[in-house]
Every structure is written in structure tokens, then in C-alpha cells.
Amino acid sequence: MVDQKDQSAALATNESAISEETRAQQALLNDIDPSLTDAAAVAKALDVDPAKGLSSAEAKRRLEKFGPNELASAPPVPKWKKFLAQFQDPLVYLLLAATVISVIAWFIERGHAGAEGGEPLPFDALVIVLILIVNAVLGYIQEAKAEAAVEALAQMTAPQTSVLRDGKVVRINTAEVVPGDIIVLAEGDSVSADGRLVSAASLRIAEASLTGESVPVGKKPDTLPEAKALGDRTNMIFNGTSVTQGTGRAIVTGTGMNTQVGKIADLLSATDDEQTPLQKEMDYVSKILGIAVCIIAAVVLAALAVLEGFHSTQDVIDSLLLAVSLAVAAVPEGLAAILTVVLALGVQRMAMHNAIVKKLHSVETLGSASVICSDKTGTLTRNEMTVERVVTPSGEVQITGTGYAPEGKMVAADGSPLADSPALKAEALATLAVGTLANDGDLREEHGTWEIVGDPTEVSLIVAARKTGAMKGYEQFARVAEVPFTSERKRMSIIAKDATEGGKLTVFAKGAPDVLLGYCSRIAVGGQVRPLTEGDRQTILATVERLSSEAYRTLGEAYRPLGTANLSEVDGIQSNAAGQVTDIADQSDAIETDLIWTGMVGIIDPPRTEVRDSVAEAHRAGIRAVMITGDHPLTAARIASDLGIIEKGGKALTGDQLDELAARDAATGDGKGTKAFDKATSEVSVYARVAPEHKLRIVESLQRQGNIVAMTGDGVNDAPAVKTADIGVAMGITGTEVTKQSAKMILADDNFSTIVAAVREGRVIFDNIRKFLRYLLSSNVGEVFTVFFGVVLAGFLGITQPGTQGVTVPLLATQLLWINLLTDAAPALAMGVDPQTEDVMNRGPRKVTDRVIDASMWGDIIYIGVIMAAVTLIGMDMHLAGGLFTDRSVDALGHEAQMVEARTMGFTILVFAQLFNAIASRSHAQSAFVGLFSNKWLWGAIGLSVVLQLVVIYVPFLNGAFGTTPLSPMAWLECIGLAAFVLVASELRKCVLRAMARK
């Protein structure tokens, strides 16, 4: 929240930094204060016709001149800084320390050996630096890919605004709004620019984000008599606020940095990206590994100091290099970058299937969803609303035709031609006409295709009226005021003047029949109006029950002639001193009373055929599907049973019943109990006639029970529930901008099946993350064990000869770095896109409290690490004199030559062992031979790794850098045979696990 003083200070601060685009905007109004100027004068100054808006060509010209409607952001980080940021890591500092130690060691060796002795260059140091640079390049590329994926998602979820262009209301990206545009406002819209109101109907805007005012502010287009503070400018709208009620139109007076929020932009604090649970766990794992390695290194160094002592500077340097080697072996360098890229690739795949995840880390929660709460209309159903039934006091008719094309006719209820029923026909036409007048929707034909604007339920009434010609005789009515629909009111009314009756006013209303009926005292039957009896009420309510049980959504229609052309003369209406009625929405009780019931319509919205299978899939996956709707309980129960959400004959819980449960809880204990409410939500899966606050209570109740809740929403009042849910899901087609901003995911097709598909994809991504973590960590633990046991058992293995002093590491730090670079990045990335397994939706959801790396996985990691170290050291031992399995042919070689060959063997075995481990790590219990070739990327990564290993062994220059030597064919057989034992050992363990699971 920013107060007025802060805004003034910010304005002064920014005065010197005003851009050319902002100056050009300010020049448009010639220092006119729009709030003190008539709307027509503001329109003239901005050269726009409020009835038509800007032309497309003029809007394009202004966009080029004034720039996009965006706040100035921090300048992008230069690429060179992003590259250098790759080196800002404790592990890199450790490796740089190793480089310094290696250079010192090289100088000492050169000093002892003389100018002609020793290595000509510090190859260890050069290789470490080279690998650090290569790793930084790979990290930079991966980070750039992830940023590109996030940017693409941002483009897909870019906010949009309704504007009047070329005389038509169109939706455009908010960034394309220009000064002079006519913004069309409706409930749930985010205000995208500053503007001067031209018209308003019961318009209320939440301005807390700008002024701190906690209550939505009523807006009207009247010119202010004097300059007022920002929060009191009731004829102005401001960027960054949101419409909570009503409709309106406004002329844009400022965009981008020339808005009130733009002038205080410097005061808006930037929020740092909080680490996700997965990132925190990775940091925890790395920390544990680092501590473990430091302890191991300290123990080894202490043991060496006690048992052998440090007899020279070289011994100390060798010992320090050993410690560095252990650290390098323990931590997978590319883990963070690989994790980010795998998540980015996953959300890109989701976006291709109409699920737009706004933040990468939301994928973690998606795979854990245990309850999906969904609205009915448009999500579980097709949202192709069609009026099929019209029920009036004289009977019932049917309207033929489906969809939004106005093609059909009125027939009898049984489908036969409507004969000799003038009263019934007249009442049906009147009912459709009233529903069409009390309506904010629109139907257009664009290039031969009928397109709807507004709520599909409202448009269905317009379609039915056009099919039947219901508006004949009603064209003379023109709307003059409106009491808008809200989720709480469940009805809307308009006041229209009749041009043929001297401008006399009539109220036309529509809404939920059981609600609207409460405001009716009369009924129109056979062309006459008579009092509404209790019998009439019961008949109407019974009809509502019948239609609802047949899956129809019902809307009642009513009207009331006011008998005057002056609204201020209506009984109960209050006006100001000038005789003007201010905001009619605040006086709805005086308007919506003594209404005349005309009839009701039955609107059908067929269930989506694919949703039933998706609900069944969700149930198999341990996910509960919950329907929450404002419709009639019988309609909700019928649709829910058809889709498999509940059993046939199952019941729905209503909003009133939920209130009773909450009241019962409040009456017990300390008044804060939730026992009865929570028990109901744990058992009931269909809720009807609910208000937005009920949705929020249901979500909170389900969360108290330990559920991970996905919640869909579209209206502005759904935003709190959507934001509170673990996975807030906004509708991409019918959703308001406010709800989209609150959501973590947007459905581009408003389809329940897309939510289930996103949960499936979330599980696949999480499974793949576990796969490459199992692979990376077991491989790195294998390296640590190789170095550790290679030093501890050096005498038994022949790594050190009898009588020698000092430390001899089994593998060089450069070799370990090469292994990590070679076997970490490509295979791990390939495992990140592994195809889904058959059981991904046949198991219960993962609890968020569950560790990513649980005890079972740690067992895998340590078991494979031990096997990997064992086969590597055995392979080295076979090529060293004095070892346990020595090949006697190596006796002819000197110890230095033996060490080079043994290290090459150990180096190669470890590489191939990790490649076999990549194949084995694709599942904890399933055999690696199931779907062995299903991941072509993994085999490509393995092939690339093999080629690179051959290069480092057979290219002479690299022999010196990595301490390798060419291997004989027999040695290669030994390498592959020993490395393959990792896969064999893994398969044996999986056999045992499967056998235990069967028991």
C-alpha cells in the first residue's frame, strides 16, 4: 500500500526520468485534469468518438508513438554477467582452490625435477579450468532455455483488455492499449490503464492496491466540482485496480509510466523468487553430501597423518588434492541447471495440451493433487448453452436447434407442431423477450461463423429469441439503468424506456427461479395479470425440480411496468437535490419488487464426453473429483452422476446446508470448531447453489484434512478460493483477468480433462526428476566410495607400493570432473524426458511432506555406489602389481606405467558403470529391460558419452591432460564386463523388491 505523500515524493523523484513517450502522452491533454473536465471534452482532446472508439490504424500509430502499456522494468542482466554468475557457486570456489593447489604442485615438481623434468604445463590445473568453463557454458545455455520457456509462458498468459475499436468490442493484449482507447469494463476485469469514465452501471472498483481503501469504491461519470485526492476521484479509473461489480466504459488518459501506478513505480518493491520445496531439498541434499565428504576427507587426512605422517610439502599438496577430489566426486555439478531445464520442458509440454502453468515450481504440487474441485458449466460440460424448454403458466414448449446458430423453431413439448395455443406461444415469446432484454451478452456473425460475446447462458436466450422472433414488439425498449448480476444476488435487472409510450419505464429481470420468485407478487396468464398464489409458487418450484432432475439449468423471467418516465418518481427511489437518481444498484429493493412472473427457460449444457473417462482416471489415481456449482441441486446431481463423480441417486449439498453446518460448529466448543463442516466435505462430492464464500470454506476444509486441492474458478469472486487452493486453476476462455492473476495454472480450453492430463504430466515430471536424482547421486556416491576406499585400501590394491610414502589417489581430480561432465548432463537431461510408465495414474498421490529422496531411494543410491566403487577398484587392481587380482603380465611395467594404465581402467569402468546405471535408474523396482528402448534421447546420450570417452583415451594430447593411455581389446572386455555388473546387481535387487512386494 502506498499513501498520498509517498506518491507525491515518487512523482518528484521520477520527474527527471520521464521518457519521451510519457511526455508525448502528457502533451495530448494540454494540462487538462480529466476528473474536472466533462467526458465529451476529454474525448475531444484525445480525438476519439466514445461511441466508436479508435480505428485500428490510429491505434497502431499511437502504439508506435506512445509505446506499449507497460511499466518500466529493471534493465535486463547483460549476457556476460549471466555467464559469470555460473561461477558463483561454492563448488566452483572449491575447484578454483584445487586449480591453485595444482599449479603450486606443478611449480614444486618442476623445481625438484629441474628445467627438463616434470610436465611441461600444469595439465591438471588447465583441465580443471577448461572443464569449469565448459560447465559454465552448459549452465548458461540451459538457463537461457529455461528463461525462454518461462517467457513463452508469460506470453501465453498475457493479460487482455476489452476495448472499443472500429465500433466493435474486441479483446486485445493489455500492452496494446493506447491513450484514447475506450476501455469496456465488466465484473472481474483488471483495469489496465488510467481513464476517465464515460458511462457506468453500478460500477465498483477495488483500489486497495493503489490507495489503501479496503472497500470497493463506487464509480460514476459525473464531473467533479473540485480537485480531489486520488481515492476520491470517483469518475476516474486507475491501472492495477480491479472491477468488483457492474459495468462501464472509460477513455484511456494514460498508459504505462504515465499512469498513477507508473508514477510510483520506483516505490514498488521487487519480490525475490522464493525457493521451491524441491530446490530447498536439493540444497539440503547437497549440504548433507558436502558435510559427509568433509568428514570423510578429514578422517582420511587424519589417518594418513597419524599412520604415515607428512614427510614433504608434496605429501601435504597430495593430501589436499585428495580432499578436493572427494569433494568434486560428491556433488553433481549440473544438478540445478538440469532440474530447471527438466521443469521448463515439462511445462512446455503441458502448454501444448492447453494447461498453461504460470510458474515452473507449480509442477511439484500438480503431481500431488488429491482433490480437484471444479465448476460445472464449461469445465465438466461443453459450455454450448442452448435453450430447449420454455415453461409458462399456460404450458410448455420446446425450441429446436443446438449451438449458437439462430436456426430452429418453437414446437410443442413433445416435438410436434405447436397448434392452436396462442396464449402459450405469446407467453413463451414474452419470456424469451424479457430474458433477452435483461441481458449483457451479444451474438455476432463473423465470416460465416456465429460468435458469442459475454456469458454463454445469457447468449443462449438471445439465440432462442432470434430463432422464434421473440423480439418483435420489443424493439422500442432502450436500456437506461441496470442492477447487475452478482454471485450473491443470483439475479439481474435492467430498466428500459419504451419509445412508443412516451418513454415510460419498465423493469425486466431474470435469475434463478427460486430466488426471483421471491420478488414476484403477480403472474401473467393468458394475456392477463393476476396475483401470484401459493399454488402458483408450488407449481413453479415443482417445475424447477423436474427440469433440474433432467439436467436443465433454469432461469426465471419477470417484469414490472413502472408507469412513469421519471425514475425519481418511482415509490421508494431516492434522488438528490437536482432530482437525479445516483446509483440504482444501491436501491435494488425498490426496483426488484412486485414483479410479474412470465415464465422460465430450461437451458441444457451437455457434459463433455471425454470428462467421464478423465473422472474415472482421477479416481484410479486416488484423486477425488468434486463439483461445485451455483446450479440447482438436482441438475448438479444429475450431471455429476452421469460423469461418474457420484453414484446414481447421489445427493448434492447446498450452500444453505453448508451455512447450517458452519453455524452448528460455531455453537459448539469455543466457537471455532469445524468438525461437522469437515465431516461433510470429506464425504460429499457435489455442492449446489453455493456462493463464492462457500467455495473458499470448502477449499480450506479440504486442506485441513491434509488434501492437496486444485480449484477452478472464473468469476472475480472465485479469486480468493483460487488463490487459497494449492493449485488455483483459472478458465482461459471464460475466466476474468483477476482470477487468472490469482491462479497458478490457466486452462486454455476450460476443460476438466485438461486438469487431469496436467496432473498426469506433473506426476511424470516428478517421476523423471526422481529418476535422474537416483542416477546422479548414486553415480556420485560411487565416485566418493572409489576415492575413499582407493586411498584406505591402497596397499591391498597395489595402488601404493611397499616402502613408499605419501598419498596416491586412485583417480585424478581431472578424471572425476570429466566423468561428472560426461555422465551428468546429457543422460540426466535425457532421463528428464523419459516416457511415462503404465502405473503413473494407478497409484495414490504423493504427499507434499514426503521426501523427494526417501529412505528407499537412499538405499538404492548407497547400494549402487558401493557396487560401482567395487568394480572400479577391482578393475584397477587387475592392472597393478601387488594387488589382490593382479594380472601377472603387468609385472614387466614400472609402477608409474602401471598406475597410468590402472587409472585409465578405473576411469573407463566408472564411466561405463554410470552409463549402465543410467539404464538401471529409470525405475526403482521395474526391470530396466521393460521399455528398454523407449527413450531414444537416453540412448543418444549414452552413445555420445561412449564416443567422448574413446576420444579422451585415444587422442595423444588428451592422454597427457587426463593421465590416460590407450587400452587393449582385452582390457576393454574387462571394462565393459565389470561395468555391466552394476546393471546385473541392480536387476537382482529389483527382483528381491518385487518378490517382497508380492508377499
Side-chain angles (χ1 to χ4, degrees), residues 107-434:
F107 272 116
I108 293 173
E109 288 174 353
R110 290 275 291 179
H112 289 171
E116 302 299 326
E119 295 178 339
L121 292 170
F123 285 119
D124 280 0
L126 290 175
V127 169
I128 291 176
V129 171
L130 179 63
I131 288 178
L132 278 176
I133 292 172
V134 171
N135 200 51
V137 170
L138 290 175
Y140 174 81
I141 292 171
Q142 290 172 339
E143 187 178 285
K145 286 181 178 178
E147 287 178 355
V150 173
E151 178 61 27
L153 290 173
Q155 292 295 325
M156 296 177 75
T157 58
Q160 292 196 315
T161 299
S162 293
V163 297
L164 191 63
R165 293 263 178 96
D166 301 310
K168 294 181 180 179
V169 177
V170 295
R171 295 282 286 176
I172 63 171
N173 285 342
T174 295
E176 297 172 8
V177 173
V178 297
D181 258 328
I182 305 298
I183 292 182
V184 181
L185 300 169
E187 181 181 309
D189 284 351
S190 290
V191 179
S192 57
D194 287 5
R196 169 67 163 88
L197 278 174
V198 177
S199 63
S202 307
L203 186 63
R204 292 187 176 276
I205 295 181
E207 296 182 343
S209 59
L210 187 65
T211 65
E213 177 60 53
S214 58
V215 178
V217 179
K219 296 287 185 176
K220 48 191 175 183
D222 301 347
T223 304
L224 298 181
E226 58 186 11
K228 296 198 175 183
L230 199 63
D232 296 324
R233 296 178 196 171
T234 53
N235 60 356
M236 298 292 293
I237 60 171
F238 302 108
N239 183 18
T241 59
S242 58
V243 180
T244 60
Q245 179 181 307
T247 60
R249 294 191 177 191
I251 307 169
V252 174
T253 57
T255 62
M257 295 302 290
N258 192 40
T259 60
Q260 292 297 326
V261 74
K263 292 171 183 175
I264 60 172
D266 286 347
L267 296 176
L268 303 179
S269 58
T271 56
D272 296 326
D273 287 336
E274 184 181 350
Q275 279 195 315
T276 71
L278 187 58
Q279 290 171 329
K280 289 176 182 176
E281 182 151 1
M282 291 307 95
D283 287 348
Y284 171 78
V285 169
S286 297
K287 182 179 178 181
I288 293 299
L289 283 174
I291 292 172
V293 167
C294 288
I295 293 172
I296 291 171
V299 169
V300 171
L301 291 176
L304 289 171
V306 171
L307 297 176
E308 298 187 13
F310 297 136
H311 302 283
S312 65
T313 305
Q314 183 66 45
D315 287 350
V316 176
I317 291 174
D318 287 346
S319 299
L320 290 174
L321 284 173
L322 165 64
V324 171
S325 296
L326 280 168
V328 169
V331 184
E333 287 85 348
L335 177 58
I338 292 169
L339 186 62
T340 302
V341 170
V342 168
L343 289 172
L345 292 173
V347 298
Q348 283 181 318
R349 288 198 302 275
M350 287 185 183
M352 291 170 61
H353 294 93
N354 296 315
I356 304 168
V357 179
K358 292 167 66 176
K359 294 214 178 262
L360 295 182
H361 66 79
S362 297
V363 172
E364 300 172 41
T365 318
L366 264 173
S368 305
S370 56
V371 178
I372 301 176
C373 297
S374 174
D375 193 7
K376 176 181 72 68
T377 305
T379 310
L380 298 171
T381 59
R382 291 191 175 281
N383 205 22
E384 293 179 355
M385 296 293 196
T386 305
V387 174
E388 276 194 1
R389 302 276 173 171
V390 182
V391 183
T392 74
S394 296
E396 182 174 344
V397 298
Q398 180 178 338
I399 310 296
T400 63
T402 58
Y404 297 118
E407 300 167 357
K409 59 183 179 179
M410 185 186 298
V411 296
D414 60 2
S416 62
L418 193 62
D420 299 328
S421 301
L424 174 58
K425 184 175 181 179
E427 290 170 10
L429 292 175
T431 299
L432 293 175
V434 171

Side-chain angles (χ1 to χ4, degrees), residues 293 296-297 300 304 318-330 779-794 797 799 807-817 819-820 865 868-870 872-873 876 903 906 910:
V293 167
I296 291 171
V300 171
L304 289 171
D318 287 346
S319 299
L320 290 174
L321 284 173
L322 165 64
V324 171
S325 296
L326 280 168
V328 169
S779 296
N780 283 83
V781 167
E783 295 171 29
V784 171
F785 286 164
T786 299
V787 174
F788 176 69
F789 289 115
V791 172
V792 173
L793 304 176
L797 298 171
I799 292 174
V807 179
T808 304
V809 291
L811 295 175
L812 303 175
T814 51
Q815 293 174 335
L816 292 170
L817 275 171
I819 292 172
N820 284 351
M868 203 176 287
T872 301
L873 292 174
M876 292 184 67
R903 277 183 175 142
L910 201 48

Side-chain angles (χ1 to χ4, degrees), residues 767-785:
D767 282 356
N768 288 346
I769 289 172
R770 283 175 57 88
K771 289 175 188 178
F772 77 67
L773 286 176
R774 181 187 295 113
Y775 158 67
L776 286 175
L777 295 176
S778 59
S779 296
N780 283 83
V781 167
E783 295 171 29
V784 171
F785 286 164

Side-chain angles (χ1 to χ4, degrees), residues 861-872:
I861 290 168
I862 294 171
Y863 173 74
I864 293 298
V866 169
I867 299 295
M868 203 176 287
V871 296
T872 301

